[in-house]
Coordinates of all heavy atoms in Angstrom, one line a residue:
S1 N 5.6 -32.8 12.2 CA 5.5 -32.9 13.7 C 5.3 -34.4 14.1 O 4.7 -35.2 13.3 CB 4.4 -32.1 14.3 OG 3.1 -32.7 14.0
H2 N 5.8 -34.8 15.2 CA 5.8 -36.2 15.7 C 4.5 -36.4 16.5 O 4.2 -35.6 17.4 CB 7.0 -36.5 16.4 CG 7.0 -37.9 16.9 ND1 7.2 -39.0 16.2 CD2 7.0 -38.3 18.2 CE1 7.1 -40.1 16.9 NE2 7.0 -39.7 18.2
N3 N 3.8 -37.4 16.1 CA 2.5 -37.8 16.9 C 2.8 -39.1 17.6 O 2.7 -40.1 16.9 CB 1.3 -37.8 16.0 CG 0.0 -38.0 16.8 OD1 0.0 -38.5 17.9 ND2 -1.1 -37.6 16.2
P4 N 3.0 -39.1 18.9 CA 3.3 -40.4 19.5 C 2.2 -41.4 19.4 O 2.4 -42.6 19.5 CB 3.7 -40.0 20.9 CG 3.2 -38.7 21.1 CD 3.0 -38.0 19.8
V5 N 1.0 -40.9 19.4 CA -0.2 -41.8 19.3 C -0.2 -42.6 18.1 O -0.4 -43.8 18.1 CB -1.5 -41.1 19.6 CG1 -2.7 -42.0 19.3 CG2 -1.6 -40.4 20.9
C6 N 0.0 -41.9 16.9 CA 0.1 -42.6 15.7 C 1.2 -43.6 15.6 O 1.0 -44.7 15.1 CB 0.3 -41.6 14.5 SG -1.2 -40.6 14.2
G7 N 2.3 -43.2 16.1 CA 3.5 -44.2 16.3 C 3.1 -45.4 17.0 O 3.4 -46.6 16.7
T8 N 2.3 -45.2 18.1 CA 1.9 -46.4 18.9 C 0.9 -47.2 18.1 O 1.0 -48.5 18.2 CB 1.2 -45.9 20.2 OG1 2.1 -45.1 20.9 CG2 0.7 -47.0 21.1
E9 N 0.0 -46.7 17.4 CA -0.9 -47.4 16.6 C -0.2 -48.2 15.6 O -0.6 -49.3 15.3 CB -2.0 -46.5 16.0 CG -2.9 -45.9 17.0 CD -3.9 -44.9 16.5 OE1 -3.9 -44.8 15.3 OE2 -4.6 -44.2 17.3
V10 N 0.8 -47.6 14.9 CA 1.6 -48.3 13.9 C 2.2 -49.5 14.5 O 2.2 -50.6 14.0 CB 2.5 -47.3 13.2 CG1 3.5 -48.1 12.3 CG2 1.7 -46.4 12.4
A11 N 2.8 -49.2 15.7 CA 3.6 -50.3 16.4 C 2.6 -51.5 16.7 O 2.9 -52.7 16.6 CB 4.3 -49.7 17.6
M12 N 1.5 -51.2 17.2 CA 0.5 -52.2 17.6 C 0.0 -52.9 16.4 O -0.1 -54.1 16.4 CB -0.7 -51.5 18.3 CG -0.4 -51.0 19.7 SD 0.2 -52.3 20.7 CE -1.2 -52.6 21.8
T13 N -0.2 -52.3 15.3 CA -0.6 -52.9 14.0 C 0.5 -53.9 13.6 O 0.2 -55.0 13.1 CB -0.9 -51.8 12.9 OG1 -1.8 -51.0 13.3 CG2 -1.3 -52.5 11.6
Q14 N 1.8 -53.5 13.8 CA 2.8 -54.4 13.3 C 3.0 -55.5 14.3 O 3.4 -56.6 13.9 CB 4.1 -53.6 13.2 CG 4.1 -52.6 12.0 CD 5.3 -51.6 12.2 OE1 6.0 -51.5 13.2 NE2 5.4 -50.9 11.1
L15 N 2.6 -55.4 15.6 CA 2.7 -56.3 16.6 C 1.6 -57.5 16.5 O 1.9 -58.6 16.8 CB 2.6 -55.7 18.0 CG 2.7 -56.5 19.2 CD1 4.1 -57.1 19.4 CD2 2.3 -55.7 20.4
I16 N 0.5 -57.1 16.0 CA -0.6 -58.0 16.1 C -0.4 -59.4 15.5 O -0.6 -60.4 16.1 CB -1.9 -57.4 15.4 CG1 -2.4 -56.2 16.3 CG2 -3.0 -58.4 15.3 CD1 -2.9 -56.6 17.7
P17 N 0.3 -59.5 14.3 CA 0.5 -60.8 13.8 C 1.5 -61.6 14.7 O 1.3 -62.9 14.8 CB 1.3 -60.5 12.5 CG 0.8 -59.2 12.0 CD 0.6 -58.4 13.3
D18 N 2.4 -61.0 15.4 CA 3.2 -61.7 16.4 C 2.5 -62.2 17.6 O 2.9 -63.1 18.2 CB 4.4 -60.8 16.8 CG 5.2 -60.4 15.6 OD1 5.3 -61.2 14.7 OD2 5.9 -59.3 15.7
L19 N 1.3 -61.6 17.9 CA 0.6 -62.0 19.1 C 0.1 -63.5 18.9 O -0.1 -64.2 19.8 CB -0.6 -61.2 19.3 CG -0.3 -59.7 19.7 CD1 -1.6 -58.9 19.9 CD2 0.5 -59.7 21.0
I20 N -0.1 -63.9 17.7 CA -0.6 -65.3 17.5 C 0.5 -66.2 18.0 O 0.2 -67.4 18.3 CB -0.8 -65.5 15.9 CG1 -2.0 -64.6 15.6 CG2 -1.1 -66.9 15.6 CD1 -2.1 -64.5 14.1
E21 N 1.7 -65.8 18.0 CA 2.8 -66.7 18.3 C 3.0 -66.8 19.9 O 3.9 -67.5 20.4 CB 4.2 -66.2 17.7 CG 4.1 -66.1 16.2 CD 3.8 -67.5 15.6 OE1 4.4 -68.6 16.0 OE2 3.1 -67.4 14.6
L22 N 2.2 -66.0 20.7 CA 2.3 -66.1 22.0 C 1.9 -67.5 22.6 O 0.9 -68.1 22.0 CB 1.4 -65.0 22.8 CG 1.9 -63.5 22.6 CD1 0.9 -62.6 23.1 CD2 3.3 -63.3 23.2
E23 N 2.5 -67.9 23.6 CA 2.0 -69.1 24.3 C 0.7 -68.9 25.0 O 0.3 -67.7 25.2 CB 3.0 -69.5 25.4 CG 4.4 -69.9 24.8 CD 5.4 -70.2 26.0 OE1 4.9 -70.4 27.1 OE2 6.5 -70.3 25.7
A24 N -0.1 -70.0 25.2 CA -1.4 -69.8 25.7 C -1.5 -68.9 26.9 O -2.3 -68.1 27.2 CB -2.0 -71.2 25.9
G25 N -0.5 -69.2 27.9 CA -0.6 -68.5 29.1 C -0.3 -67.0 29.0 O -0.8 -66.2 29.6
E26 N 0.6 -66.8 28.0 CA 1.0 -65.3 27.7 C -0.2 -64.6 27.1 O -0.6 -63.4 27.4 CB 2.1 -65.2 26.8 CG 3.4 -65.7 27.3 CD 4.5 -65.8 26.3 OE1 4.3 -66.2 25.1 OE2 5.7 -65.7 26.7
R27 N -1.0 -65.2 26.2 CA -2.1 -64.8 25.5 C -3.2 -64.5 26.5 O -3.9 -63.5 26.5 CB -2.6 -65.7 24.5 CG -3.2 -65.1 23.3 CD -3.5 -66.0 22.1 NE -3.7 -67.4 22.5 CZ -2.9 -68.4 22.2 NH1 -1.7 -68.2 21.5 NH2 -3.1 -69.6 22.5
A28 N -3.4 -65.5 27.5 CA -4.5 -65.3 28.6 C -4.1 -64.2 29.3 O -5.0 -63.4 29.8 CB -4.6 -66.6 29.3
L29 N -2.8 -64.0 29.8 CA -2.4 -62.8 30.6 C -2.6 -61.5 29.9 O -3.1 -60.6 30.5 CB -0.9 -63.0 31.1 CG -0.3 -61.9 31.9 CD1 -1.1 -61.8 33.1 CD2 1.1 -62.2 32.0
L30 N -2.3 -61.5 28.6 CA -2.4 -60.2 27.8 C -3.8 -59.8 27.8 O -4.2 -58.7 28.0 CB -1.8 -60.4 26.5 CG -1.8 -59.2 25.6 CD1 -1.2 -57.9 26.3 CD2 -1.1 -59.4 24.3
L31 N -4.8 -60.9 27.6 CA -6.2 -60.6 27.5 C -6.7 -60.1 28.8 O -7.4 -59.1 28.9 CB -6.9 -61.9 27.0 CG -8.4 -61.7 26.7 CD1 -8.6 -60.7 25.7 CD2 -8.9 -63.1 26.2
E32 N -6.2 -60.7 29.9 CA -6.6 -60.3 31.3 C -6.2 -58.9 31.5 O -7.0 -58.1 32.1 CB -6.0 -61.3 32.3 CG -6.4 -60.9 33.7 CD -5.7 -61.9 34.7 OE1 -5.5 -63.1 34.3 OE2 -5.3 -61.5 35.7
L33 N -4.9 -58.5 31.2 CA -4.4 -57.1 31.4 C -5.3 -56.1 30.6 O -5.6 -55.0 31.1 CB -3.0 -57.1 31.0 CG -2.0 -57.9 32.0 CD1 -0.6 -57.8 31.4 CD2 -2.0 -57.2 33.4
L34 N -5.5 -56.5 29.3 CA -6.4 -55.6 28.5 C -7.8 -55.3 29.0 O -8.3 -54.2 29.1 CB -6.4 -56.1 27.1 CG -5.1 -55.9 26.3 CD1 -5.1 -56.8 25.0 CD2 -4.9 -54.5 26.0
E35 N -8.4 -56.5 29.5 CA -9.7 -56.3 30.1 C -9.7 -55.5 31.4 O -10.6 -54.7 31.6 CB -10.3 -57.7 30.3 CG -10.6 -58.4 29.0 CD -11.1 -59.8 29.2 OE1 -10.7 -60.5 30.2 OE2 -11.7 -60.4 28.2
S36 N -8.7 -55.6 32.1 CA -8.5 -54.8 33.4 C -8.3 -53.3 33.0 O -9.0 -52.4 33.6 CB -7.3 -55.3 34.2 OG -7.1 -54.4 35.2
A37 N -7.5 -53.1 32.0 CA -7.4 -51.7 31.5 C -8.7 -51.1 31.0 O -8.9 -49.9 31.2 CB -6.3 -51.6 30.4
Q38 N -9.4 -52.0 30.3 CA -10.8 -51.5 29.8 C -11.7 -51.1 31.0 O -12.3 -50.0 30.8 CB -11.3 -52.8 29.1 CG -12.6 -52.5 28.3 CD -12.9 -53.7 27.5 OE1 -12.5 -54.8 27.7 NE2 -13.9 -53.6 26.6
A39 N -11.7 -51.9 32.0 CA -12.5 -51.6 33.2 C -12.1 -50.3 33.8 O -12.9 -49.5 34.1 CB -12.5 -52.7 34.2
R40 N -10.8 -50.1 34.0 CA -10.2 -48.9 34.6 C -10.5 -47.6 33.7 O -10.9 -46.6 34.3 CB -8.7 -49.0 34.8 CG -8.3 -49.8 36.0 CD -6.9 -49.7 36.4 NE -5.9 -49.8 35.2 CZ -5.5 -50.9 34.8 NH1 -5.8 -52.0 35.2 NH2 -4.6 -50.9 33.7
L41 N -10.5 -47.8 32.4 CA -10.7 -46.7 31.5 C -12.2 -46.2 31.6 O -12.5 -45.0 31.7 CB -10.4 -47.0 30.1 CG -8.9 -46.9 29.7 CD1 -8.7 -47.6 28.4 CD2 -8.4 -45.5 29.7
L42 N -13.1 -47.2 31.7 CA -14.5 -46.9 31.9 C -14.8 -46.1 33.1 O -15.5 -45.0 33.1 CB -15.3 -48.2 31.9 CG -15.5 -48.8 30.6 CD1 -16.0 -50.3 30.7 CD2 -16.3 -48.1 29.6
V43 N -14.2 -46.4 34.2 CA -14.3 -45.7 35.5 C -13.7 -44.3 35.3 O -14.3 -43.3 35.8 CB -13.6 -46.5 36.7 CG1 -13.6 -45.6 37.9 CG2 -14.3 -47.7 37.0
E44 N -12.5 -44.3 34.8 CA -11.8 -43.0 34.6 C -12.7 -42.0 33.7 O -12.8 -40.8 34.0 CB -10.4 -43.2 34.0 CG -9.5 -41.9 34.2 CD -8.1 -42.2 33.9 OE1 -7.7 -43.5 33.8 OE2 -7.3 -41.3 33.9
I45 N -13.2 -42.6 32.7 CA -14.1 -41.7 31.7 C -15.2 -41.2 32.5 O -15.6 -40.0 32.4 CB -14.5 -42.6 30.6 CG1 -13.3 -42.8 29.6 CG2 -15.7 -41.9 29.8 CD1 -13.6 -43.9 28.5
R46 N -15.9 -42.0 33.4 CA -17.1 -41.6 34.1 C -16.7 -40.4 35.1 O -17.5 -39.6 35.4 CB -17.6 -42.7 34.9 CG -18.6 -43.6 34.1 CD -19.5 -44.4 35.0 NE -18.8 -45.2 36.0 CZ -18.3 -46.4 35.7 NH1 -18.5 -47.0 34.6 NH2 -17.7 -47.1 36.7
H47 N -15.4 -40.4 35.6 CA -15.1 -39.5 36.7 C -14.3 -38.3 36.1 O -13.8 -37.5 36.8 CB -14.2 -40.2 37.7 CG -15.1 -41.1 38.6 ND1 -15.0 -42.5 38.4 CD2 -15.9 -40.9 39.5 CE1 -15.8 -43.1 39.2 NE2 -16.4 -42.2 39.9
T48 N -14.1 -38.2 34.8 CA -13.4 -37.1 34.2 C -14.3 -36.0 33.8 O -15.3 -36.2 33.0 CB -12.6 -37.6 33.0 OG1 -11.7 -38.6 33.4 CG2 -11.8 -36.4 32.3
D49 N -14.0 -34.8 34.2 CA -14.8 -33.6 33.9 C -14.4 -32.9 32.6 O -15.2 -32.2 32.0 CB -14.8 -32.6 35.0 CG -15.5 -33.2 36.3 OD1 -16.4 -33.9 36.1 OD2 -15.1 -32.8 37.4
H50 N -13.1 -33.0 32.3 CA -12.6 -32.3 31.2 C -12.8 -33.1 29.8 O -12.4 -34.2 29.7 CB -11.0 -32.2 31.3 CG -10.7 -31.3 32.4 ND1 -10.6 -31.8 33.8 CD2 -10.5 -29.9 32.6 CE1 -10.3 -30.8 34.6 NE2 -10.2 -29.7 33.9
R51 N -13.6 -32.4 29.0 CA -14.1 -33.1 27.8 C -12.9 -33.5 26.8 O -13.0 -34.7 26.4 CB -14.9 -32.1 27.0 CG -15.6 -32.7 25.7 CD -16.3 -31.7 24.9 NE -15.5 -30.6 24.3 CZ -14.7 -30.7 23.3 NH1 -14.5 -31.9 22.7 NH2 -13.9 -29.7 22.9
I52 N -11.8 -32.8 26.7 CA -10.7 -33.2 25.8 C -10.0 -34.4 26.4 O -9.8 -35.4 25.6 CB -9.7 -32.0 25.6 CG1 -10.4 -30.9 24.8 CG2 -8.5 -32.5 25.0 CD1 -9.6 -29.6 24.7
F53 N -9.8 -34.5 27.7 CA -9.2 -35.6 28.3 C -10.2 -36.9 28.2 O -9.7 -38.0 27.9 CB -8.8 -35.4 29.7 CG -8.1 -36.4 30.4 CD1 -6.9 -37.0 29.9 CD2 -8.5 -37.0 31.5 CE1 -6.1 -38.0 30.5 CE2 -7.9 -38.1 32.2 CZ -6.6 -38.5 31.6
R54 N -11.4 -36.6 28.4 CA -12.4 -37.8 28.4 C -12.4 -38.2 26.9 O -12.5 -39.5 26.7 CB -13.8 -37.2 28.8 CG -14.8 -38.3 28.9 CD -16.1 -37.9 29.5 NE -16.6 -36.6 29.0 CZ -16.7 -35.5 29.5 NH1 -16.3 -35.3 30.8 NH2 -17.3 -34.5 28.9
D55 N -12.4 -37.4 25.9 CA -12.3 -37.9 24.5 C -11.1 -38.7 24.3 O -11.1 -39.6 23.5 CB -12.4 -36.7 23.5 CG -13.7 -36.0 23.6 OD1 -14.7 -36.6 24.1 OD2 -13.8 -34.8 23.1
E56 N -9.9 -38.3 24.8 CA -8.7 -39.0 24.6 C -8.8 -40.4 25.3 O -8.3 -41.4 24.8 CB -7.5 -38.3 25.2 CG -7.1 -37.0 24.4 CD -6.1 -36.2 25.1 OE1 -5.5 -36.6 26.1 OE2 -5.8 -35.1 24.6
L57 N -9.4 -40.4 26.5 CA -9.7 -41.7 27.1 C -10.5 -42.6 26.4 O -10.3 -43.8 26.3 CB -10.3 -41.5 28.6 CG -9.3 -40.8 29.6 CD1 -10.1 -40.5 30.9 CD2 -8.1 -41.8 29.9
R58 N -11.6 -42.0 25.8 CA -12.6 -42.8 24.9 C -11.8 -43.4 23.7 O -12.1 -44.5 23.3 CB -13.7 -42.0 24.5 CG -14.7 -41.7 25.5 CD -16.0 -41.1 25.0 NE -16.9 -40.9 26.1 CZ -17.5 -39.7 26.4 NH1 -17.2 -38.6 25.6 NH2 -18.3 -39.6 27.4
A59 N -10.9 -42.6 23.1 CA -10.2 -43.1 22.0 C -9.3 -44.3 22.4 O -9.2 -45.3 21.7 CB -9.4 -42.0 21.4
R60 N -8.7 -44.1 23.6 CA -7.8 -45.2 24.1 C -8.6 -46.4 24.4 O -8.2 -47.6 24.1 CB -7.1 -44.7 25.4 CG -6.1 -45.7 25.9 CD -5.3 -45.1 27.1 NE -4.4 -46.0 27.7 CZ -3.1 -46.0 27.3 NH1 -2.6 -45.2 26.3 NH2 -2.3 -47.0 27.8
L61 N -9.8 -46.3 25.0 CA -10.7 -47.3 25.3 C -11.2 -48.1 24.0 O -11.1 -49.3 23.9 CB -12.0 -46.8 26.0 CG -13.0 -47.9 26.3 CD1 -12.5 -49.0 27.2 CD2 -14.3 -47.2 26.9
T62 N -11.4 -47.3 23.0 CA -11.7 -48.0 21.6 C -10.6 -48.9 21.2 O -10.8 -50.0 20.7 CB -12.0 -46.9 20.6 OG1 -13.2 -46.2 21.0 CG2 -12.3 -47.5 19.3
R63 N -9.4 -48.4 21.4 CA -8.2 -49.2 20.8 C -8.0 -50.5 21.7 O -7.7 -51.5 21.2 CB -6.9 -48.3 20.9 CG -6.8 -47.3 19.8 CD -5.5 -46.6 19.7 NE -5.0 -46.0 20.9 CZ -5.3 -44.7 21.2 NH1 -6.0 -44.0 20.5 NH2 -4.8 -44.3 22.3
V64 N -8.2 -50.3 23.0 CA -8.1 -51.5 23.9 C -9.3 -52.5 23.5 O -9.0 -53.6 23.5 CB -8.2 -51.0 25.4 CG1 -8.4 -52.2 26.3 CG2 -7.0 -50.3 25.8
E65 N -10.5 -52.0 23.4 CA -11.6 -52.8 23.0 C -11.3 -53.6 21.7 O -11.6 -54.9 21.5 CB -12.9 -52.0 22.9 CG -13.4 -51.6 24.2 CD -14.6 -50.6 24.0 OE1 -14.7 -50.0 23.0 OE2 -15.3 -50.5 25.0
T66 N -10.7 -52.9 20.7 CA -10.4 -53.6 19.5 C -9.4 -54.6 19.7 O -9.4 -55.8 19.2 CB -9.8 -52.5 18.5 OG1 -10.7 -51.5 18.2 CG2 -9.3 -53.1 17.2
L67 N -8.4 -54.4 20.5 CA -7.3 -55.4 20.8 C -8.0 -56.6 21.6 O -7.7 -57.8 21.2 CB -6.2 -54.9 21.7 CG -5.3 -54.0 20.9 CD1 -4.3 -53.3 21.9 CD2 -4.4 -54.8 20.0
V68 N -8.9 -56.4 22.5 CA -9.6 -57.5 23.2 C -10.4 -58.3 22.2 O -10.4 -59.5 22.2 CB -10.5 -56.9 24.3 CG1 -11.5 -58.0 24.8 CG2 -9.6 -56.3 25.4
E69 N -11.1 -57.6 21.3 CA -11.9 -58.3 20.3 C -11.0 -59.2 19.4 O -11.5 -60.2 18.9 CB -12.7 -57.4 19.4 CG -13.8 -56.7 20.2 CD -14.5 -55.6 19.4 OE1 -14.1 -55.4 18.2 OE2 -15.3 -54.8 20.0
R70 N -9.8 -58.8 19.1 CA -8.9 -59.5 18.2 C -8.3 -60.7 19.0 O -8.0 -61.7 18.4 CB -7.9 -58.6 17.7 CG -8.5 -57.6 16.7 CD -7.5 -56.5 16.2 NE -6.6 -57.2 15.1 CZ -5.8 -56.6 14.4 NH1 -5.5 -55.3 14.6 NH2 -5.1 -57.1 13.4
L71 N -8.0 -60.6 20.3 CA -7.4 -61.5 21.0 C -8.3 -62.6 21.6 O -7.9 -63.8 21.6 CB -6.6 -61.0 22.3 CG -5.3 -60.3 22.0 CD1 -4.8 -59.5 23.2 CD2 -4.3 -61.4 21.5
R72 N -9.5 -62.2 21.9 CA -10.4 -63.2 22.6 C -10.7 -64.4 21.7 O -10.6 -65.5 22.1 CB -11.8 -62.5 22.9 CG -12.7 -63.3 23.7 CD -13.9 -62.6 24.3 NE -13.5 -61.7 25.3 CZ -13.9 -60.4 25.5 NH1 -14.7 -59.9 24.5 NH2 -13.5 -59.7 26.5
P73 N -11.0 -64.3 20.3 CA -11.1 -65.5 19.5 C -9.9 -66.4 19.5 O -10.0 -67.7 19.5 CB -11.4 -65.0 18.1 CG -11.9 -63.5 18.3 CD -11.2 -63.1 19.6
L74 N -8.7 -65.8 19.5 CA -7.5 -66.6 19.6 C -7.5 -67.4 20.9 O -7.1 -68.6 20.9 CB -6.2 -65.7 19.5 CG -6.0 -64.9 18.2 CD1 -4.9 -64.0 18.3 CD2 -5.9 -65.9 17.0
E75 N -7.8 -66.7 22.0 CA -7.8 -67.4 23.3 C -8.8 -68.5 23.3 O -8.6 -69.6 23.8 CB -8.0 -66.4 24.4 CG -7.9 -67.0 25.8 CD -6.6 -67.6 26.1 OE1 -5.6 -67.4 25.4 OE2 -6.6 -68.4 27.1
E76 N -10.1 -68.2 22.8 CA -11.1 -69.2 22.8 C -10.7 -70.4 21.9 O -11.0 -71.6 22.3 CB -12.4 -68.6 22.3 CG -13.0 -67.6 23.2 CD -14.2 -66.8 22.7 OE1 -14.5 -66.9 21.5 OE2 -14.7 -66.0 23.5
R77 N -10.1 -70.2 20.8 CA -9.6 -71.3 20.0 C -8.6 -72.1 20.6 O -8.6 -73.4 20.7 CB -9.0 -70.8 18.7 CG -10.1 -70.7 17.5 CD -9.3 -70.4 16.3 NE -9.0 -68.9 16.4 CZ -8.5 -68.2 15.5 NH1 -8.2 -68.7 14.3 NH2 -8.3 -67.0 15.7
A78 N -7.7 -71.4 21.4 CA -6.7 -72.2 22.1 C -7.2 -73.0 23.2 O -6.8 -74.2 23.5 CB -5.6 -71.2 22.7
L79 N -8.3 -72.5 23.9 CA -8.9 -73.2 25.0 C -9.6 -74.4 24.4 O -9.7 -75.5 25.0 CB -9.9 -72.3 25.8 CG -9.2 -71.3 26.6 CD1 -10.3 -70.3 27.2 CD2 -8.4 -71.8 27.7
G80 N -10.3 -74.2 23.2 CA -11.0 -75.3 22.6 C -10.1 -76.4 22.2 O -10.4 -77.6 22.2
Q81 N -8.8 -76.1 21.7 CA -7.9 -77.1 21.3 C -7.3 -77.8 22.5 O -6.9 -79.1 22.4 CB -6.7 -76.4 20.6 CG -7.2 -75.9 19.2 CD -6.1 -75.2 18.4 OE1 -4.9 -74.9 19.1 NE2 -6.4 -74.7 17.3
S82 N -7.2 -77.2 23.6 CA -6.6 -77.9 24.8 C -7.7 -78.7 25.6 O -7.3 -79.5 26.4 CB -6.0 -76.9 25.8 OG -7.0 -76.1 26.3
A83 N -9.0 -78.6 25.2 CA -10.0 -79.3 25.9 C -10.2 -80.8 25.4 O -9.8 -81.1 24.3 CB -11.3 -78.6 25.8

């Protein structure tokens, strides 16, 4: 059976090395979008009554948080080099 979530995770894993090649503005924008998604997911989790859906949202939040943690140091290094 096909699991689209696993496919997405594999795609993201393969994408991460390429993120280093993003221009500073692109990296900053991506980080901003991910942090915005993170905030929206937290609100949605708080307002969701269905446990299964809430668990799926928490799993998605974890993936977003992991991406933010991986991108933030790259952005901080880029900002440090431009200063």
Side-chain angles (χ1 to χ4, degrees):
S1 73
H2 176 68
N3 185 339
V5 174
C6 285
T8 301
E9 289 174 10
V10 169
M12 289 302 254
T13 301
Q14 293 168 349
L15 178 67
I16 293 298
D18 294 335
L19 293 178
I20 296 167
E21 302 302 321
L22 290 174
E23 294 177 11
E26 293 170 329
R27 215 173 23 251
L29 176 60
L30 183 55
L31 189 55
E32 182 182 322
L33 292 170
L34 286 167
E35 288 171 340
S36 176
Q38 190 176 12
R40 283 192 314 273
L41 282 166
L42 286 168
V43 170
E44 197 167 351
I45 288 167
R46 276 198 308 271
H47 291 101
T48 300
D49 294 328
H50 296 86
R51 186 185 60 78
I52 292 172
F53 185 57
R54 191 171 47 246
D55 290 346
E56 290 173 5
L57 291 172
R58 284 189 181 125
R60 184 175 181 91
L61 176 62
T62 298
R63 289 191 302 271
V64 169
E65 289 170 339
T66 299
L67 286 169
V68 167
E69 289 170 10
R70 293 175 80 174
L71 281 171
R72 192 172 284 134
L74 296 174
E75 184 60 17
E76 290 169 358
R77 266 185 290 187
L79 290 173
Q81 290 173 356
S82 66

